[in-house]
Amino acid sequence: MKKLLIIQQQSSVVPHLLARLKAEPQIEVQVYSGDLESVEDYRSALKDVNLIFTAVGPKDADLDFESLFDAIDDVQPPISDFVMLSYAGVDDELAAPVAYPGVDDVEEFIKQQRYAIKIVDESEIPYSIIRMGTLANRPMGKYQLFNEGSQMPAGTVSAEAVAKLAYEMLVHQEWLNHSVGIIDS
C-alpha cells in the first residue's frame, strides 16, 4: 500500500483526482490540513508518505515549497513521485501572453513558480510537473501534451483532464522527471 499526501488550496483539480483514486485500493489518500508555510505541520503529515500531489498558489508557492522541502529533509519519507501543478508560461513556452486568474504581478508570479520548480528539481526526488493552461469548468475532452522546451499555444484545459494526467503520473509513474504542458485541443 502506498500513501499519497495531497497538498492544495481549493484546487478544482483535486475533486476529480480523488474520484479517480477511489478505484485504487492500494493507495491511501491523506489531504493535508495544516499551514502551508509550517515546517512542523508538514513534518506531522509526511510520515510514511510515498506520493505527494501539490496544487498550491497561484501566489507564494515558493514559500510553501521551502517549508515543505525543509520538512521532507527532516522526515526523509520514502517518496517515489512528487507531482506539482504549475502554470503554462513559466518556461516561456507560450506563443501568446496569458492572464493568470488571481495574479496582479505576473513577473513576480513567474519567479515564484520557477523557484518552486527549482526546489522540486534540486531535491533529487522523482517528480512530474504539470504546466496547465487556464482551468475551465467543463467536461474533459481531448487534450494535448507539450514537452518542456516545446512551444505551446495559450489555451484552457478542464480540471478533469489535469486530474487524469496527475492520476497517470501518480499511479502509473508516467512522465517521471518531466515537465508537461497541457491544454484542450
Side-chain angles (χ1 to χ4, degrees):
M1 167 128 358
K2 290 190 174 188
K3 184 175 178 182
L4 166 63
L5 178 63
I6 295 177
I7 302 168
Q8 64 142 350
Q9 287 177 300
Q10 295 140 1
S11 170
S12 60
V13 172
V14 172
H16 296 286
L17 179 59
L18 289 171
R20 288 182 176 275
L21 289 167
K22 283 184 180 178
E24 296 296 333
Q26 76 275 13
I27 297 179
E28 173 192 341
V29 177
Q30 173 187 345
V31 178
Y32 180 73
S33 60
D35 180 343
L36 294 172
E37 291 184 25
S38 170
V39 175
E40 190 58 42
D41 287 357
Y42 283 127
R43 280 188 196 122
S44 300
L46 285 167
K47 185 173 178 0
D48 300 322
V49 166
N50 308 97
L51 305 167
I52 296 177
F53 174 79
T54 63
V56 298
K59 297 177 183 174
D60 297 330
D62 55 339
L63 300 177
D64 300 339
F65 277 34
E66 282 180 345
S67 299
L68 173 59
F69 279 87
D70 283 348
I72 288 171
D73 288 344
D74 292 347
V75 176
Q76 296 288 307
I79 300 171
S80 60
D81 197 0
F82 184 102
V83 176
M84 173 189 179
L85 287 191
S86 188
Y87 299 84
V90 298
D91 289 336
D92 293 326
E93 75 275 25
L94 292 178
V98 65
Y100 299 99
V103 174
D104 298 325
D105 185 344
V106 173
E107 188 176 319
E108 180 63 23
F109 164 73
I110 295 293
K111 285 180 188 176
Q112 291 172 358
Q113 288 294 311
R114 287 179 178 160
Y115 186 64
I117 290 168
K118 181 180 178 182
I119 292 169
V120 173
D121 185 46
E122 290 181 353
S123 72
E124 298 187 13
I125 293 171
Y127 70 88
S128 305
I129 296 170
I130 299 173
R131 298 179 334 276
M132 59 188 177
T134 303
L135 285 174
N137 186 16
R138 64 172 174 258
M140 180 175 64
K142 191 173 183 177
Y143 57 86
Q144 293 177 295
L145 301 178
F146 298 84
N147 283 321
E148 183 174 15
S150 299
Q151 192 162 47
M152 64 185 274
T156 60
V157 64
S158 73
E160 189 177 0
V162 175
K164 180 180 184 291
L165 179 58
Y167 173 85
E168 291 167 357
M169 290 171 165
L170 290 163
V171 175
H172 302 294
Q173 303 289 287
E174 293 183 18
W175 297 98
L176 267 180
N177 298 320
H178 282 85
S179 176
V180 181
I182 182 172
I183 61 166
D184 291 335
S185 54

